[in-house]
Amino acid sequence: MTGHRNVIQEWQFTDDQGTFTLPAPHHTSYLYFPLVNSRGMMSAITPTLHGDIKTGQNAYLMPPVSLEDLHNTRSARNFWVSVDGCAPWSAAGNSARQIADDADQVSLEAGLLWHKITRSSDTFGLQAEITSFVPMTNDTVELMRVTITNIHNQPIRLNPTAAIPIYGRSADNLRDHRHVTSLLHRIETHPEGVTVCPTLSFDERGHVPNTVAYGVFGIDQDGTLPAGFTPIVEDFIGEGGSLDWPQAAVDPQSTRPQPAGLTFAGYETIGGLHFEAITLDPQQSHTYILILACMDQDDDPGTLIEAYGSEEKFSSALADCQSFWQTSASAAAFHTADPTFDQWIKWVVIQPTLRRLFGNSFLPAHDYGRGGRGWRDLWQDCLALLLTEPDDVPHLLFSSFAGIRMDGSNATIIGAAPGEFKADRNDIPRVWMDHGVWPYLTTRLYLDQSGDLGFLLRPQTYFKDTHINRCTAHDERWDADQGTQLMTSAGEAYRGTVLEHLLVQHLTAFYHVGEHNIIRLEGADWNDGMDMARSRGESVAFTALYASNLRDLSDLFAALIERGIDTIDIAAELLPLLDTLGDPIDYDDIAAKQRLLAGYFDTCQHTISGKTAAVSLTDLASDLAAKADWLTGHLHQQEWITDRAGYSWFNGYYDDAGQQVEGDHPNGVRMTLTGQVFTLMGGVATDEQARSIVRAARRYLHEPSMGGYRLNTDFGETKLNMGRCFSFAFGHKENGAMFSHMAIMYANALYQRGLVDEGFEVLDDIYRHCCNFETCRIYPGIPEYVNVRGRGMYTWLTGSASWFLLTFVNEVFGVKGELGDLVLEPKLAAGQFDADGAAGIDIAFAGRSLAITYHNAGRLDYGAYRVGAVALDGAVLEADIQTDRARIDRERIAALDVNRAHELHVELVEK
């Protein structure tokens, strides 16, 4: 060891495209980078080219890896260079000697969405530059370009060998018949490389004929294909050898490469491609193109060589990839006083797209699930996608409403296609009680962005499977052959409006209360770790958000009435839940509410009548407002707590013993951030209470060394009557980590309540911590959470990115829709304006590209400025200007030329 692992280097941006460099990246553990395309190719790659490659749970080209595998396994992409008279050198750094000596100089350069490692060795006089990416084509391939350069002053004779382990089967087989499934391998050497096509796929589906082939192909800069192959792992490593010291590289003369045209069966496989020996003069380079492919068994490897097998074609595909991701990242571009932030947020902008492509699986930290996203993820990610990919979202939104059950719960098995929901094959009767709030929040954003109120009136089906009564019972009359759509008693698929679906979610939740008249926690809420209070648990936090949604829905009806829509048709079964329209009940009477809901459940267990009733929107608005008022009053009366030290906040939960979770406790004060976020965001907290919450959160939850606000205080026990999260070590994941998603939603809520300084501090703390590589140890972007040591965890795939982007666009820059019109309501701090007093955002609205710049010549802070004049493309624009905001008619924006960007300049003047 040379001892320089302790020297910490930081990544730095090198251009205005989000490109960054990091010296000695291999000295930081757990780093990985995503490579992906929309065709389904998904890769993870580390500075030493570890990671994996797959198209899904049942199709891994390389062995699947979790975080610990990144440093434990010897299985990695590799490219060996055997130099005459010397030990072998790995261009990826994966030789036993290089790992031990750590003498190579290594640097990373990466961008949207490509990865390049440069490694040089003074001992060998060689430098390797390895560029990797997944092309944005219909091919499920990862491309590697390996350039070897002689940096010595004498010619070097070398033998190059690519070595890519080919796992070629389901992730399940890693611990389920690993050896037996290798017996299925049918291996073939082609002129271009090595393929493996297993005869069968052993996975949860049973013994299924396999049609997927896995291949590693190569060609050099001169168009020369490999000279031979060693396709079987045990032959490549040699008896007693290993992947980091294989006989094929250590003693290439003893290895007898196989020619093209041979077949082998029943062994673990490697893409061992031997290229012709070459001599490099000083400063001379030689390049090799490698293609790592998941393909149909009948595909011809030659077509992939034809598509990518030259430096020119590789560079062209790389340029297309870079262009795609630059376009994606530019969907929301920012100009502030901090150029690092302006580049860093590009990586945040693409994170929702990454989660759409990866789901919540298939990266080393996300070693759970089998692909796809959860219900909450669908709607959360759409928040950002409405801003960055607005054309694709309305269909996705509408399709997703088909996942709602008539009892207010929803499907938990979500397919790859929009609107594809599946019956729960594992019969897991779990309901997350917060699932009903997110469709409305996302739909409301869509309505504000588009003005498309007609969306609410579109008819959609309901989901149906064996689970009924919010998964507390089974429908014994249902079987899979009946399909997954709710039917009427006449045997027709029932369709209700999107608005009806929203009503179902909120009305059933309103009546589904526990012993404290708070909506029951059921299987959990947003915090999946609150999952052990199914009998008596209640979520005050999300009761507040349901109250907010009910009130907002009530207000939204006024807009429908203005457009001449006075009534809507709803399922007749829903009428009793609108009790103020017929037979009002006392909302303080818990038993009466529970009976009413049970009666409703009885009407929709197997089918529904199909009968509908016309309801006045005015009456409906009144009913929802009454429910919202009651919930708000109840929360104020019952859940506002003050501890012995005089700090006050909202209790967030009741546990399975029926006890209030927060407040003074023998183990110390207990407080959750979740309980505060939604009382703030939903307008339940008064302005005075909001200020009290800020003081209490700062006292009990703020932890600067972790980048902001913890999710909860230390409860000091394994609280089995609340959830598994309290079995986690404190300061990790859902037990007291700085959980980015909730912390950013806290910032959003603070901005909405006008507490701009406090909200900015939350966002700025997270940003600066994520950029502090010495502590956080992540590439640019936002992690799911920050642990007690300050390390960012579960990078790339997190809903927090959607909320960060949404908060910066809608709240910080104040660019938002209001039922289709454009509103500009900036809440920028003085320090966010550049030296000229300008801050800008480039974003699309109404299908037009807008470059919006705020001019704050006096560098005034928020609260000291107001909106003055507004100019569009150099001409003063008539707008509805109030003190803090300007509203511009949608028609004015929609009339602009769609083929170019338009400039909006907004003067901010002293109040």
Side-chain angles (χ1 to χ4, degrees):
M1 296 286 291
T2 62
H4 64 275
R5 286 186 185 271
N6 293 325
V7 178
I8 306 301
Q9 304 283 350
E10 304 249 337
W11 49 256
Q12 300 285 337
F13 290 114
T14 59
D15 58 20
D16 62 357
Q17 304 295 310
T19 306
F20 66 93
T21 58
L22 175 64
H26 60 307
H27 290 167
T28 293
S29 302
Y30 305 113
L31 286 177
Y32 60 87
F33 190 87
L35 303 172
V36 64
N37 68 11
S38 56
R39 182 69 174 81
M41 192 63 166
M42 298 174 286
S43 298
I45 189 167
T46 76
T48 52
L49 307 193
H50 283 78
D52 58 26
I53 306 169
K54 60 274 169 184
T55 58
Q57 176 73 10
N58 300 314
Y60 273 76
L61 189 154
M62 289 179 64
V65 297
S66 296
L67 275 179
E68 294 303 321
D69 298 315
L70 299 182
H71 51 256
N72 285 341
T73 184
R74 298 174 178 179
S75 180
R77 307 163 182 84
N78 214 339
F79 194 92
W80 291 95
V81 177
S82 300
V83 179
D84 289 352
C86 298
W89 184 69
S90 165
N94 289 322
S95 78
R97 179 167 294 178
Q98 286 166 276
I99 294 170
D101 292 345
D102 191 30
D104 292 351
Q105 294 81 50
V106 186
S107 64
L108 163 74
E109 183 180 15
L112 299 160
L113 200 57
W114 53 275
H115 181 276
K116 182 170 72 176
I117 288 290
T118 302
R119 175 180 291 271
S120 60
S121 168
D122 294 336
T123 302
F124 285 86
L126 292 173
Q127 176 180 285
E129 182 182 281
I130 303 177
T131 303
S132 303
F133 72 100
V134 169
M136 301 307 294
T137 65
N138 287 326
D139 295 318
T140 47
V141 300
E142 177 185 311
L143 302 182
M144 288 176 59
R145 180 176 62 197
V146 182
T147 299
I148 307 296
T149 303
N150 178 359
I151 58 174
H152 196 46
N153 57 10
Q154 297 292 325
I156 298 177
R157 181 77 174 170
L158 50 87
N159 293 275
T161 301
I164 313 294
I166 304 178
Y167 174 73
R169 48 205 189 268
S170 171
D172 296 338
N173 300 133
L174 198 63
R175 285 284 300 154
D176 184 3
H177 295 91
R178 169 89 191 241
H179 172 256
V180 169
T181 51
S182 73
L183 304 182
L184 306 172
H185 282 189
R186 299 298 183 264
I187 307 160
E188 186 173 354
T189 57
H190 302 261
E192 303 85 3
V194 175
T195 61
V196 178
C197 186
T199 54
L200 296 175
S201 176
F202 277 22
D203 52 50
E204 64 172 10
R205 300 168 298 177
H207 306 332
V208 179
N210 172 67
T211 61
V212 179
Y214 307 88
V216 175
F217 313 112
I219 191 169
D220 78 354
Q221 65 184 35
D222 299 325
T224 303
L225 296 171
F229 311 94
T230 306
I232 296 173
V233 169
E234 60 187 69
D235 295 339
F236 190 86
I237 65 175
E239 202 67 41
S242 63
L243 285 174
D244 60 5
W245 203 248
Q247 181 176 325
V250 175
D251 187 10
Q253 303 305 319
S254 67
T255 304
R256 305 175 101 185
Q258 304 295 324
L262 299 184
T263 59
F264 308 85
Y267 295 95
E268 293 284 358
T269 312
I270 188 167
L273 279 55
H274 302 279
F275 292 91
E276 292 285 357
I278 61 172
T279 299
L280 290 180
D281 290 329
Q283 305 309 311
Q284 185 181 4
S285 299
H286 203 84
T287 295
Y288 301 85
I289 306 295
L290 301 180
I291 303 169
L292 289 52
C294 298
M295 50 200 282
D296 187 82
Q297 61 183 353
D298 298 323
D299 287 348
D300 178 8
T303 61
L304 295 178
I305 291 292
E306 178 63 28
Y308 307 109
S310 71
E311 288 194 81
E312 180 182 1
K313 292 174 180 177
F314 181 98
S315 297
S316 176
L318 176 59
D320 289 343
C321 173
Q322 292 169 330
S323 176
F324 174 89
W325 288 106
Q326 284 296 333
T327 299
S328 180
S330 299
F334 298 85
H335 170 75
T336 68
D338 183 353
T340 297
F341 173 85
D342 300 342
Q343 298 307 307
W344 175 83
I345 201 170
K346 290 179 183 291
W347 292 92
V348 177
V349 170
I350 70 163
Q351 284 185 249
T353 303
L354 291 177
R355 193 157 79 155
R356 176 168 60 80
L357 297 174
F358 278 98
N360 267 343
S361 306
F362 302 132
L363 284 178
H366 296 79
D367 55 353
Y368 50 85
R370 309 179 70 82
R373 291 176 289 173
W375 176 261
R376 188 185 308 116
D377 306 329
L378 280 176
W379 303 94
Q380 297 268 306
D381 292 348
C382 282
L383 292 172
L385 296 176
L386 277 166
L387 303 176
T388 60
E389 301 177 26
D391 293 342
D392 300 329
V393 176
H395 173 65
L396 176 58
L397 287 182
F398 178 69
S399 300
S400 298
F401 275 98
I404 296 172
R405 295 189 184 98
M406 201 67 188
D407 64 7
S409 64
N410 54 265
T412 56
I413 305 298
I414 299 168
E420 181 185 1
F421 303 100
K422 303 176 183 179
D424 192 339
R425 58 182 176 268
N426 298 315
D427 193 30
I428 301 174
R430 185 175 182 185
V431 173
W432 285 260
M433 64 82 63
D434 68 304
H435 279 185
V437 302
W438 306 111
Y440 178 70
L441 289 179
T442 307
T443 300
R444 182 59 199 249
L445 178 63
Y446 169 67
L447 298 177
D448 281 332
Q449 290 289 108
S450 67
D452 180 18
L453 286 173
F455 179 84
L456 294 171
L457 306 179
R458 294 178 63 183
Q460 180 57 284
T461 57
Y462 285 86
F463 182 72
K464 173 64 182 163
D465 62 0
T466 186
H467 298 300
I468 56 175
N469 301 2
R470 295 184 71 85
C471 294
T472 60
H474 288 85
D475 177 7
E476 302 299 341
R477 291 180 289 169
W478 181 88
D479 62 56
D481 291 338
Q482 297 173 20
T484 57
Q485 290 183 345
L486 176 67
M487 309 298 285
T488 68
S489 55
E492 299 176 346
Y494 175 74
R495 286 176 169 80
T497 63
V498 167
L499 180 54
E500 182 189 273
H501 285 67
L502 295 170
L503 289 173
V504 166
Q505 290 183 302
H506 287 78
L507 292 173
T508 54
F510 177 79
Y511 291 101
H512 195 49
V513 295
E515 62 198 78
H516 301 92
N517 221 339
I518 299 297
I519 300 174
R520 292 186 56 214
L521 181 59
E522 301 176 279
D525 62 9
W526 169 91
N527 188 338
D528 288 345
M530 299 285 200
D531 60 348
M532 299 174 71
R534 298 191 183 197
S535 297
R536 301 173 68 186
E538 297 166 79
S539 175
V540 178
F542 281 92
T543 296
L545 193 50
Y546 275 108
S548 171
N549 283 1
L550 284 165
R551 186 177 309 283
D552 203 64
L553 262 169
S554 174
D555 294 341
L556 183 61
F557 294 154
L560 286 169
I561 293 170
E562 286 180 6
R563 286 161 173 76
I565 302 167
D566 299 319
T567 63
I568 63 162
D569 291 333
I570 64 171
E573 287 82 356
L574 279 173
L575 287 175
L577 302 185
L578 300 169
D579 63 298
T580 65
L581 277 61
D583 188 12
I585 68 168
D586 180 2
Y587 293 155
D588 290 326
D589 188 339
I590 296 171
K593 291 169 78 173
Q594 293 172 339
R595 285 193 301 271
L596 184 60
L597 184 62
Y600 169 73
F601 285 164
D602 288 342
T603 67
C604 58
Q605 290 186 344
H606 184 64
T607 60
I608 63 172
S609 67
K611 297 177 182 178
T612 60
V615 177
S616 160
L617 284 181
T618 300
D619 292 342
L620 186 55
S622 177
D623 182 89
L624 299 191
K627 289 176 168 61
D629 289 343
W630 184 88
L631 284 172
T632 300
H634 183 60
L635 296 179
H636 276 237
Q637 180 180 1
Q638 182 175 282
E639 305 303 336
W640 184 250
I641 60 176
T642 302
D643 70 357
R644 285 190 293 267
Y647 291 94
S648 299
W649 66 93
F650 279 99
N651 170 56
Y653 295 94
Y654 287 89
D655 62 24
D656 224 32
Q659 298 298 307
Q660 206 171 58
V661 167
E662 303 190 41
D664 290 311
H665 188 274
N667 290 347
V669 173
R670 293 180 169 180
M671 182 181 185
T672 70
L673 186 60
T674 311
Q676 317 321 309
V677 167
F678 299 112
T679 51
L680 286 168
M681 187 180 292
V684 169
T686 65
D687 289 345
E688 182 180 352
Q689 287 174 330
R691 290 188 289 271
S692 293
I693 287 170
V694 169
R695 288 193 294 271
R698 177 172 291 280
R699 170 65 180 84
Y700 294 123
L701 299 175
H702 191 237
E703 180 49 69
S705 67
M706 296 172 68
Y709 286 80
R710 294 181 182 270
L711 195 55
N712 55 272
T713 56
D714 188 355
F715 279 32
E717 65 171 313
T718 301
K719 193 170 174 54
L720 298 180
N721 64 0
M722 194 68 232
R724 71 174 187 262
C725 62
F726 297 107
S727 297
F728 300 156
F730 181 65
H732 297 266
K733 221 168 187 317
E734 289 100 339
N735 187 18
M738 194 292 288
F739 217 91
S740 303
H741 196 167
M742 191 55 65
I744 292 166
M745 286 194 287
Y746 179 52
N748 182 281
L750 292 172
Y751 271 98
Q752 288 193 44
R753 298 304 299 269
L755 298 170
V756 171
D757 290 344
E758 295 82 354
F760 172 75
E761 180 185 45
V762 176
L763 297 179
D764 195 56
D765 282 352
I766 292 172
Y767 154 63
R768 294 192 183 281
H769 188 85
C770 290
C771 291
N772 180 2
F773 186 77
E774 182 173 0
T775 301
C776 200
R777 300 294 186 141
I778 64 172
Y779 293 140
I782 298 176
E784 179 184 276
Y785 71 93
V786 174
N787 71 15
V788 70
R789 291 185 171 181
R791 183 185 286 270
M793 303 294 294
Y794 291 64
T795 52
W796 304 110
L797 309 180
T798 166
S800 57
S802 291
W803 276 90
F804 195 97
L805 179 60
L806 181 73
T807 302
F808 247 83
V809 174
N810 283 181
E811 297 299 328
V812 179
F813 276 81
V815 179
K816 63 185 77 174
E818 198 167 274
L819 294 181
D821 292 341
L822 175 63
V823 171
L824 305 175
E825 187 179 358
K827 298 174 185 174
L828 290 153
Q832 292 175 284
F833 294 91
D834 67 17
D836 297 322
I841 175 174
D842 297 342
I843 198 163
F845 190 86
R848 304 300 183 269
S849 297
L850 302 178
I852 302 169
T853 304
Y854 295 109
H855 298 275
N856 181 2
R859 301 292 298 278
L860 302 169
D861 213 342
Y862 175 76
Y865 58 72
R866 62 178 177 84
V867 174
V870 178
L872 174 62
D873 290 336
V876 175
L877 178 68
E878 290 188 11
D880 179 11
I881 297 178
Q882 300 174 11
T883 301
D884 295 322
R885 55 186 244 149
R887 179 168 176 160
I888 304 169
D889 288 342
R890 183 180 189 82
E891 291 74 15
R892 185 67 182 87
I893 302 297
L896 298 173
D897 185 353
V898 71
N899 296 312
R900 69 179 185 89
H902 300 271
E903 296 185 358
L904 266 173
H905 291 271
V906 182
E907 297 293 334
L908 302 179
V909 298
E910 188 172 3
K911 283 187 175 179

